[in-house]
Amino acid sequence: MADVKPIGKALFLREEELRRGIELMFFAYRDFTGEADSILAEQNMGRAHHRAIYFIGRNPGITVSDLLAILCITKQSLSRVLSGLMEDSYVVQKPGASDRRQRLLYLTATGTALESRLTSLQGRRFAAAYREAGVDAVDGFQRVLRGLLDSDTIEQIAQQDQTSDI
Amino acid sequence: MADVKPIGKALFLREEELRRGIELMFFAYRDFTGEADSILAEQNMGRAHHRAIYFIGRNPGITVSDLLAILCITKQSLSRVLSGLMEDSYVVQKPGASDRRQRLLYLTATGTALESRLTSLQGRRFAAAYREAGVDAVDGFQRVLRGLLDSDTIEQIAQQDQTSDI
DNA sequence: CTATATTGGTCAACATGGCTGACGTAAAAC
DNA sequence: GTTTTACGTCAGCCATGTTGACCAATATAG
């Protein structure tokens, strides 16, 4: 097998490298979400609830349509989740001050508690990975992940960063 | 706001950094799988079919239990998916030579065609991201992703690499 | 050779979380 | 005053995960 053409060898290595990325992405995402999933299961919630709680916590007072734009799901799907979260008092809604059709979403104390529990769990996993890998690796990690995004998503994230009340 | 304590500022930045990672992971995974999902939807398949096809293509002749170990789902869930794939002639099974209880899984020509279509789609996305980000970034990316894995997953991947017939 | 363990499949029932389509209501905007 | 927008809701469908029970073929250990 030593007589493989260099070009073939290069292509093979390239495909291996790409497959490694694909697989790593699959396993990492699964393990990354796994821990939070078990906590959520205890409260009879799923990943969809987590996402809603996370982004409401991150953007207090967000409107339903803005949340829809972030999550990219149908309003029926989100509505089902939000109804559950409000019934169990993780989330409350207030009418918008300027536009009273809007229902601005906020976490309750319970909601905030759950959100920070979940986020600190996932954050610890990231912190450990970052620590092991080193600062330069973190930069590369984020650059590659950004490169995987759709262009719409990139714009969306950029806008969010602008309007966020940091 | 210039009188924030340095320690508070550092913690804030740290949390921001961790949240950035969490969010990037969510968006990147969604966009990364999105394209393949649409192709799969055309063939009335979902992500579960994709995973099965991918790992059978990657490990021709894999047993059902080994595939189960990779996917970490119940055999009932996998069985449903495999039945569909065999009915539509994407996958065939042959009895194992040494252990005839085993059913070794292989892709058909149709299956291989679909697998490579999907993989090259996702591969192109990775290739573009890798190209933009640069070689060093790729290394960092993979190091951080590996750091996010559960220890069981790490062992599993290591074993796979050993036994793979490269 | 027999007992047990392993590999794999199957049926039934259920939950979650996507989706579509249709319809309603309140408020803003023109 | 009409139209558009923001949001909700009802009904139903599909994919994919779950548990539990049960069965068949075969390998393996005693």
Side-chain angles (χ1 to χ4, degrees):
Chain A
M1 288 297 180
D3 55 355
V4 178
K5 289 176 192 164
I7 175 68
K9 178 96 171 173
L11 283 177
F12 170 78
L13 283 176
R14 185 184 125 90
E15 191 186 322
E16 266 308 300
E17 179 91 336
L18 295 177
R19 282 191 183 266
R20 199 176 303 279
I22 291 174
E23 288 163 27
L24 222 37
M25 197 72 184
F26 165 62
F27 290 119
Y29 193 75
R30 189 188 61 188
D31 290 354
F32 159 64
T33 53
E35 258 180 334
D37 284 351
S38 356
I39 289 188
L40 289 158
E42 289 169 17
Q43 339 266 321
N44 293 311
M45 293 196 231
R47 224 175 267 183
H49 299 87
H50 186 187
R51 284 176 208 149
I53 286 181
Y54 180 88
F55 285 107
I56 295 172
R58 190 89 163 112
N59 306 76
I62 191 175
T63 64
V64 172
S65 47
D66 284 348
L67 187 52
L68 277 176
I70 292 178
L71 298 177
C72 291
I73 57 175
T74 58
K75 70 173 172 173
Q76 291 89 331
S77 295
L78 178 57
S79 195
R80 192 201 292 134
V81 169
L82 282 182
S83 306
L85 288 176
M86 291 189 299
E87 185 155 351
D88 298 347
S89 298
Y90 290 96
V91 168
V92 288
Q93 56 186 17
K94 300 184 194 171
S98 57
D99 184 339
R100 298 223 320 278
R101 290 170 305 179
Q102 297 178 333
R103 323 223 170 146
L104 310 184
L105 301 168
Y106 297 89
L107 295 183
T108 62
T110 319
T112 305
L114 180 57
E115 194 279 333
S116 61
R117 188 176 165 207
L118 294 169
T119 297
S120 75
L121 201 66
Q122 296 193 321
R124 269 197 292 273
R125 186 177 284 259
F126 261 99
Y130 281 2
R131 192 165 1 93
E132 280 176 44
V135 185
D136 292 351
V138 172
D139 182 64
F141 170 72
Q142 295 192 353
R143 285 159 60 113
V144 172
L145 277 194
R146 270 193 293 271
L148 290 174
L149 299 177
D150 286 340
S151 50
D152 333 5
T153 308
I154 295 176
E155 288 170 32
Q156 197 186 309
I157 290 181
Q159 279 180 4
Q160 221 177 305
D161 282 357
Q162 279 168 25
T163 58
S164 90
D165 41 8
I166 293 181
Chain B
M1 290 297 178
D3 54 354
V4 179
K5 288 175 191 162
I7 176 67
K9 178 95 173 172
L11 283 178
F12 170 78
L13 283 177
R14 184 183 127 92
E15 190 184 324
E16 266 308 302
E17 179 91 336
L18 295 178
R19 283 191 181 265
R20 198 176 305 278
I22 291 173
E23 288 162 27
L24 223 37
M25 197 72 185
F26 165 63
F27 290 119
Y29 193 76
R30 190 189 60 189
D31 290 355
F32 158 65
T33 52
E35 258 180 334
D37 284 352
S38 351
I39 289 188
L40 289 159
E42 291 169 16
Q43 338 266 322
N44 294 311
M45 293 196 231
R47 224 174 267 183
H49 299 86
H50 186 187
R51 283 177 212 152
I53 286 181
Y54 180 87
F55 286 107
I56 294 172
R58 190 89 162 111
N59 306 77
I62 190 175
T63 64
V64 173
S65 48
D66 284 349
L67 187 52
L68 277 175
I70 292 177
L71 298 176
C72 290
I73 57 175
T74 58
K75 69 174 172 172
Q76 291 89 332
S77 296
L78 178 57
S79 195
R80 193 201 290 132
V81 168
L82 282 182
S83 306
L85 288 176
M86 292 190 298
E87 186 155 353
D88 299 346
S89 297
Y90 289 97
V91 168
V92 288
Q93 56 186 16
K94 300 184 195 172
S98 58
D99 184 339
R100 299 222 320 279
R101 289 171 305 181
Q102 298 177 335
R103 323 223 170 145
L104 310 184
L105 301 168
Y106 297 89
L107 295 184
T108 62
T110 319
T112 305
L114 180 58
E115 193 279 332
S116 62
R117 189 176 166 205
L118 293 169
T119 298
S120 75
L121 200 68
Q122 295 192 321
R124 271 198 290 276
R125 187 177 285 258
F126 262 99
Y130 280 3
R131 193 166 359 94
E132 280 177 45
V135 185
D136 291 352
V138 172
D139 182 64
F141 170 72
Q142 296 192 353
R143 285 159 62 111
V144 172
L145 276 195
R146 270 194 293 271
L148 290 174
L149 299 177
D150 286 342
S151 50
D152 333 3
T153 309
I154 294 175
E155 288 169 32
Q156 198 185 309
I157 290 180
Q159 280 180 2
Q160 223 176 305
D161 282 357
Q162 279 168 23
T163 59
S164 90
D165 40 9
I166 292 181

